[in-house]
């Protein structure tokens, strides 16, 4: 059985507390449990004070087989930040602009050049999703068409190559939309004149949506996956047409990414759970203890 742990963002102390609460102990170089494995939902780096220590905990667990992990958008961003554009020498696939430097800055400051190179090599090997017996895992969203396109490209390229990263990071390229969907979630444009300020102080005119739900009957306020949207307009037909709700009879899917805030975690649907409760923004580090159930239960959350 699996313990699914959400976005860590360099918060090693909370990770150690959570692992110990879940019954994991360090032995032979990695934290392990006699009967269970962890599945990490990505976003190990950036923002927090102990990024090196997080990698030193998580990577040995994946290499020793006591944990599985998927890539988060911050790992993809790091790869792009440090990969030169194959078509434009001296420039990088993630531009070295102030916003991106600020977001990635703690990772650059805390890791030596050697440690950063080793971390990037590990990120490159992480899958973007997991299809397991009885459950599914992705950093932000499960979408069959997007997964099929990404899988075909990775097979053709032989891995996450600079050319594949280029296709993933530049608008208009074949992999940009599919990878944005899986690692960052589905978004919808807000009606004209409606905006909100996100957690980093940026004005947004698009909002992440509850991609797992049918959109019928929803307003922007209720379909948005944030409490910041003050708009009771009906959804535009284009938003409804682009929806691909997660089937109610599909096996459970677990995601992170969404910076949820709450006094205690709750499932998003009977077969959908998010385990990111904003440890890097004053929230808590969260896990879900999955024991094979197809209908998820709030009492299976554990948090620090």
């Amino acid at each position: 059985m699996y313990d699914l742990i959400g976005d860590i963002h360099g918060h090693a102390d909370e990770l150690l507390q959570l692992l110990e609460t879940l019954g994991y102990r360090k032995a032979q170089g990695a934290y392990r449990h006699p009967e269970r494995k962890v599945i990490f939902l990505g976003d190990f780096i950036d923002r927090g004070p102990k990024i090196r220590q997080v990698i030193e905990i998580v990577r040995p667990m994946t290499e020793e087989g006591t944990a599985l992990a998927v890539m988060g958008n911050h790992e993809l961003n790091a790869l792009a930040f440090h990969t030169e554009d194959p078509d434009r020498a001296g420039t990088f696939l993630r531009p070295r602009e102030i916003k991106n430097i600020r977001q990635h800055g703690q990772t650059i400051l805390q890791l030596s050049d050697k440690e950063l190179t080793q971390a990037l090599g590990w990120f490159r090997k992480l899958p973007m999703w997991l299809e397991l017996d009885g459950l599914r895992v992705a950093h932000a969203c499960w979408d069959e068409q997007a997964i099929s396109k990404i899988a075909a490209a990775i097979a053709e390229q032989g891995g996450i190559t600079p050319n594949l990263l280029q296709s993933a990071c530049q608008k208009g390229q074949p992999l940009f939309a599919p990878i944005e969907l899986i690692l960052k979630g589905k978004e919808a444009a807000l009606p004209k004149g409606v905006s909100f300020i996100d957690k980093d102080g940026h004005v947004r005119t698009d909002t992440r949506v509850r991609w797992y739900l049918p959109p019928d009957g929803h307003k922007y306020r209720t379909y948005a996956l944030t409490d910041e949207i003050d708009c009771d307009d009906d959804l535009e037909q284009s938003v409804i047409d682009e929806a691909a709700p997660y089937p109610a009879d599909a096996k459970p899917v677990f995601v992170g990414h969404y910076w949820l805030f709450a006094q205690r975690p709750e499932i998003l649907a009977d077969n959908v759970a998010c385990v990111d409760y904003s440890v890097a923004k004053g929230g808590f580090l969260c896990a879900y203890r999955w024991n094979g159930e197809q209908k998820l239960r709030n009492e299976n959350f554990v948090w620090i």
Side-chain angles (χ1 to χ4, degrees):
M1 297 294 101
Y2 296 108
D3 298 311
L4 298 107
I5 295 179
D7 306 32
I8 305 165
H9 285 301
H11 286 260
D13 293 344
E14 291 88 341
L15 176 58
L16 288 174
Q17 286 182 266
L18 184 55
L19 287 171
E20 291 172 1
T21 299
L22 294 170
Y24 291 77
R25 300 293 181 266
K26 192 171 185 179
Q28 300 174 327
Y31 283 84
R32 55 188 77 228
H33 191 284
E35 299 173 345
R36 306 180 68 85
K37 284 186 179 182
V38 169
I39 301 178
F40 291 106
L41 273 290
D43 279 8
F44 308 110
I45 60 170
D46 299 342
R47 304 189 188 279
K50 294 186 176 181
I51 293 166
R52 176 188 297 106
Q53 293 89 331
V54 167
I55 293 172
E56 290 173 346
I57 295 166
V58 174
R59 184 175 179 181
M61 291 181 70
T62 63
E63 293 175 342
E64 290 293 319
T66 67
L68 302 171
V70 295
M71 179 186 294
N73 61 301
H74 281 256
E75 285 73 52
L76 181 78
N77 288 348
L79 288 171
F81 190 91
H82 297 284
T83 299
E84 283 199 22
D85 188 330
D87 295 335
R88 299 170 61 197
T91 65
F92 293 84
L93 292 175
R94 186 165 175 81
R96 301 283 178 97
E97 57 191 36
I98 294 299
K99 173 178 173 289
N100 296 336
I101 293 171
R102 184 180 293 119
Q103 185 183 78
H104 190 46
Q106 284 302 315
T107 301
I108 298 170
L109 288 172
Q110 293 178 37
L111 300 184
S112 69
D113 289 346
K114 180 179 179 181
E115 289 167 338
L116 181 57
T117 298
Q118 291 173 340
L120 293 171
W122 175 50
F123 298 162
R124 201 176 297 274
K125 297 175 185 177
L126 292 173
M128 295 187 192
W129 64 87
L130 291 170
E131 175 90 56
L132 301 172
D133 186 16
L135 77 163
R136 292 166 166 166
V137 180
H139 182 64
C141 178
W142 189 273
D143 184 278
E144 297 285 356
Q145 290 187 352
I147 285 171
S148 178
K149 290 177 182 176
I150 300 167
I154 290 175
E156 180 181 346
Q157 291 276 334
I160 300 179
T161 64
N163 285 332
L164 187 138
L165 280 173
Q166 182 186 43
S167 182
C169 296
Q170 295 181 349
K171 288 185 178 180
Q173 293 291 321
L175 292 182
F176 181 80
I179 288 180
E180 286 273 304
L181 188 54
I182 299 304
L183 296 190
K184 298 183 182 180
K186 182 170 284 190
E187 294 191 346
L190 292 168
K192 186 176 181 179
V194 178
S195 64
F196 69 102
I197 298 175
D198 71 9
K199 65 186 182 304
D200 293 318
H202 302 125
V203 177
R204 301 290 188 183
T205 56
D206 294 338
T207 182
R208 294 166 178 167
V209 299
R210 299 179 188 272
W211 52 269
Y212 47 89
L213 294 179
D216 309 87
H218 278 280
K219 311 291 186 181
Y220 279 95
R221 185 197 301 274
T222 60
Y223 197 52
L225 195 52
T226 174
D227 294 330
E228 303 296 326
I229 307 303
D230 186 18
C231 178
D232 285 321
D233 290 3
D234 292 333
L235 297 176
E236 294 284 346
Q237 188 60 44
S238 60
V239 176
I240 296 171
D241 292 343
E242 291 172 6
Y246 192 69
D249 59 352
K251 56 188 176 181
V253 61
F254 293 88
V255 297
H257 185 62
Y258 289 107
W259 296 92
L260 300 183
F261 282 94
Q263 294 287 56
R264 54 190 303 121
E266 295 182 347
I267 61 173
L268 301 178
D270 284 347
N271 59 346
V272 182
C274 176
V275 285
D276 177 17
Y277 278 83
S278 306
V279 68
K281 287 286 184 179
F284 48 82
L285 189 62
C286 180
Y288 183 96
R289 305 211 84 172
W290 186 74
N291 299 302
E293 67 274 11
Q294 295 300 288
K295 184 176 181 180
L296 304 179
R297 298 192 288 266
N298 288 331
E299 57 265 31
N300 287 6
F301 285 106
V302 178
W303 61 97
I304 298 295

